[in-house]
Amino acid sequence: LQNRSTGKKSNTPKSPPRFPLIGNLHQLGRHPHRSLCSLSQRYGPLMLLHFGRVPVLVVSSADAARDVLKTHDRVFASRPWTKITEKLLYNGRDVASAPYGEYWRQMKSVCVVHLLSNKMVRSFRDVREEEISLMIEKIRESSSLPQLQKTGNDFDEFLEKVLDDHVDGDRDGTDFVDVLLTIQRDKSVGFQLDRLSIKAIILDVFVGATDTSYTLMEWVMTELLRHRECLNKLQEEVRTICKGRSSVLEEDIQDMKYLKAVIKETLRLHPPLPLMAPHESTHDVRLREYDIPAGTQILISAWAIGREALTWGLDVEEFRPERHLDSSVDFRGQDFELIPFGAGRRICPAISFAVVLNEVVLATLVHQFDWRLPVELTEDQTNVAESTGLAIHRMFPLYAIASSTT
Ligand code: HEM
């Protein structure tokens, strides 16, 4: 590789040997976050791979992530263009896959200011409470055979119907779609928000909110059922704070220190998006001593960073929520040791929304029910094999028995 402006030989990060045409693709295996973490132990926290002909920079330490997402954030803030962006994500009209630039900035501000600000998160409390009580009813009804299911949909048809229902329907209350339609009608953001952009944002919210939160809850419950002492401690905290009441209130949560630690520890060990979403560099840049050309894809491994022994100690693989009780390290993008939501310009705009939702759901689940594994599966409880894909679920769904305490 030659530096285009100086003509000198470029200094690139270390790379594992690669094949012609496929590059390093054969080294990804079924679980790329694991394979890349092992490779990075050999080739370093900034490692250059090739997926076919595309150069891919893999970032596997908190320090290197800080260099990418803070020092050079602007250069690395774009997204690669893929067939998925084109065919499924309305040609990059959603926030998550839009290339860095004015359109992305406008859409992200709609999310941050109008949909997911602290004020909006608070205002959706009624919707959350209603959904949580529906969930509890469902678990209660099916407590003899609990099962988590996922459904597939023809998204565009579905989103068209959602929009029509919101335009024509006679509904109570305000939700995300109403907020977007109001912005469209009032032109209150200073630019035109068309139907396609609205559908693209709803799609982001829908995918962003369901898959990640469901994954997080599944891993939290898995770890708690594998570590009964943590489940007991959590249940004691929640039941003491909500003493005498049949439900958990959102204001109870701020006193639930152990609950927060349990969620943090799960996000450390099982970030729902272990390699986040790929970034792409828009300019040539010097990153540490390396020359990184424009058009390089960047994979930042929240998974490897959560397992750095230098930060987390020798028991990195252990689920131990207590490690967070006296620590100020948080996941809001300031501490690069824990970045399950990313950091910098592309950070997840829904951290507050996701955290409140998951905290209340978890507190309610352990407040209302006692949990155990079915006898025949008790032996199998250590089977925490992971699925493949961008979001990493359990390969085998979690079956757990809930017994109501009320
Ligand atoms: C536990 C829950 C969640 C986790 C762990 C999570 C994690 C992430 C991560 C790692 C990214 C990519 C950051 C980057 O590329 O640097 C991201 C982006 C994003 N997330 Fe989340 N997320 C969660 C929940 C949500 C929810 C509930 C929503 C919507 C309501 C949402 C909407 C988005 C959007 C729109 C982006 C794209 C931001 C951009 O490209 O500028 N996420 N999220």
Side-chain angles (χ1 to χ4, degrees):
L1 279 174
Q2 287 214 322
N3 184 308
R4 282 173 222 160
S5 48
T6 61
K8 284 192 194 143
K9 194 168 182 301
S10 291
N11 186 24
T12 53
K14 279 196 192 155
S15 305
R18 62 181 144 131
F19 282 129
L21 292 178
I22 62 168
N24 301 99
L25 278 172
H26 64 294
Q27 284 164 311
L28 291 181
R30 282 177 61 80
H31 301 297
H33 57 291
R34 289 181 181 272
S35 320
L36 293 176
C37 185
S38 312
L39 281 173
S40 77
Q41 273 150 19
R42 187 144 168 224
Y43 294 95
L46 282 174
M47 164 176 79
L48 186 67
L49 266 62
H50 287 82
F51 295 172
R53 294 174 54 185
V54 180
V56 181
L57 180 69
V58 181
V59 180
S60 307
S61 75
D63 280 345
R66 186 180 297 104
D67 290 343
V68 170
L69 295 174
K70 192 170 177 187
T71 318
H72 297 287
D73 184 31
R74 208 174 69 80
V75 178
F76 291 114
S78 205
R79 297 278 193 220
W81 193 261
T82 64
K83 277 269 174 270
I84 295 178
T85 319
E86 208 177 296
K87 304 272 182 233
L88 281 182
L89 299 169
Y90 298 105
N91 249 327
R93 298 286 288 277
D94 68 318
V95 188
S97 68
Y100 182 62
E102 197 46 34
Y103 179 79
W104 166 79
R105 218 187 314 275
Q106 290 171 343
M107 292 302 116
K108 186 125 185 191
S109 82
V110 168
C111 285
V112 172
V113 181
H114 298 275
L115 292 183
L116 297 161
S117 64
N118 285 339
K119 189 167 150 231
M120 289 307 284
V121 171
R122 276 196 301 276
S123 78
F124 289 127
R125 177 177 172 158
D126 289 352
V127 183
R128 264 192 307 274
E129 284 176 354
E130 193 185 328
E131 289 300 322
I132 290 174
S133 58
L134 286 174
M135 174 190 76
I136 293 298
E137 263 328 294
K138 218 166 174 180
I139 298 177
R140 220 184 283 281
E141 275 167 23
S142 60
S143 54
S144 55
L145 188 60
Q147 189 170 5
L148 292 169
Q149 281 188 344
K150 276 175 61 173
T151 50
N153 265 313
D154 180 346
F155 272 121
D156 191 59
E157 218 173 275
F158 170 69
L159 293 175
E160 281 291 341
K161 184 158 174 6
V162 170
L163 282 188
D164 288 345
D165 286 354
H166 279 74
V167 173
D168 309 332
D170 185 16
R171 302 163 39 262
D172 289 337
T174 307
D175 62 20
F176 276 4
V177 183
D178 296 309
V179 176
L180 291 169
L181 288 169
T182 309
I183 295 174
Q184 184 189 35
R185 261 195 313 273
D186 301 351
K187 302 193 173 55
S188 52
V189 282
F191 55 86
Q192 183 60 36
L193 194 65
D194 60 21
R195 197 172 171 94
L196 208 70
S197 301
I198 293 185
K199 281 194 289 183
I201 293 185
I202 301 172
L203 186 59
D204 266 0
V205 168
F206 197 74
V207 175
T210 48
D211 213 21
T212 47
S213 294
Y214 146 65
T215 310
L216 176 57
M217 271 307 111
E218 197 180 28
W219 285 117
V220 171
M221 291 307 290
T222 297
E223 290 295 3
L224 289 174
L225 285 160
R226 293 174 74 211
H227 299 89
R228 283 225 74 95
E229 68 293 355
C230 299
L231 178 55
N232 294 341
K233 213 165 154 178
L234 176 63
Q235 234 158 10
E236 198 184 311
E237 177 181 84
V238 173
R239 290 176 185 179
T240 309
I241 291 175
C242 303
K243 205 172 177 145
R245 266 190 279 115
S246 61
S247 60
V248 177
L249 300 177
E250 290 198 1
E251 45 273 28
D252 293 330
I253 301 291
Q254 68 205 43
D255 297 324
M256 296 183 182
K257 305 277 180 274
Y258 197 69
L259 174 102
K260 288 176 182 292
V262 164
I263 290 195
K264 252 189 203 176
E265 183 66 343
T266 310
L267 284 166
R268 178 184 76 80
L269 276 177
H270 307 282
L273 302 173
L275 297 171
M276 312 212 315
H279 288 221
E280 191 179 86
S281 58
T282 45
H283 301 89
D284 294 351
V285 64
R286 186 130 178 113
L287 179 67
R288 297 189 173 175
E289 66 273 36
Y290 303 121
D291 299 306
I292 309 295
T296 302
Q297 282 193 22
I298 324 295
L299 290 181
I300 301 153
S301 178
W303 193 89
I305 292 171
R307 281 168 168 74
E308 269 191 285
L310 215 59
T311 313
W312 298 106
L314 291 177
D315 62 350
V316 273
E317 290 293 341
E318 281 295 303
F319 179 81
R320 196 169 62 77
E322 287 73 11
R323 72 176 84 235
H324 301 282
L325 290 176
D326 296 318
S327 156
S328 62
V329 173
D330 200 10
F331 44 57
R332 291 182 186 265
Q334 303 304 317
D335 303 309
F336 286 84
E337 301 88 327
L338 191 63
I339 49 169
F341 296 98
R345 285 169 168 74
R346 283 286 183 170
I347 193 169
C348 177
I351 302 181
S352 301
F353 178 86
V355 170
V356 170
L357 179 68
N358 284 291
E359 285 175 348
V360 186
V361 168
L362 178 59
T364 307
L365 288 178
V366 300
H367 180 245
Q368 306 262 330
F369 300 103
D370 284 329
W371 292 91
R372 65 185 165 80
L373 291 162
V375 177
E376 67 279 13
L377 289 185
T378 320
E379 308 251 298
D380 210 23
Q381 62 170 299
T382 48
N383 189 347
V384 286
E386 296 166 334
S387 69
T388 50
L390 201 60
I392 300 296
H393 309 261
R394 284 174 56 116
M395 174 133 73
F396 308 105
L398 171 66
Y399 289 93
I401 295 179
S403 6
S404 175
T405 54
T406 54

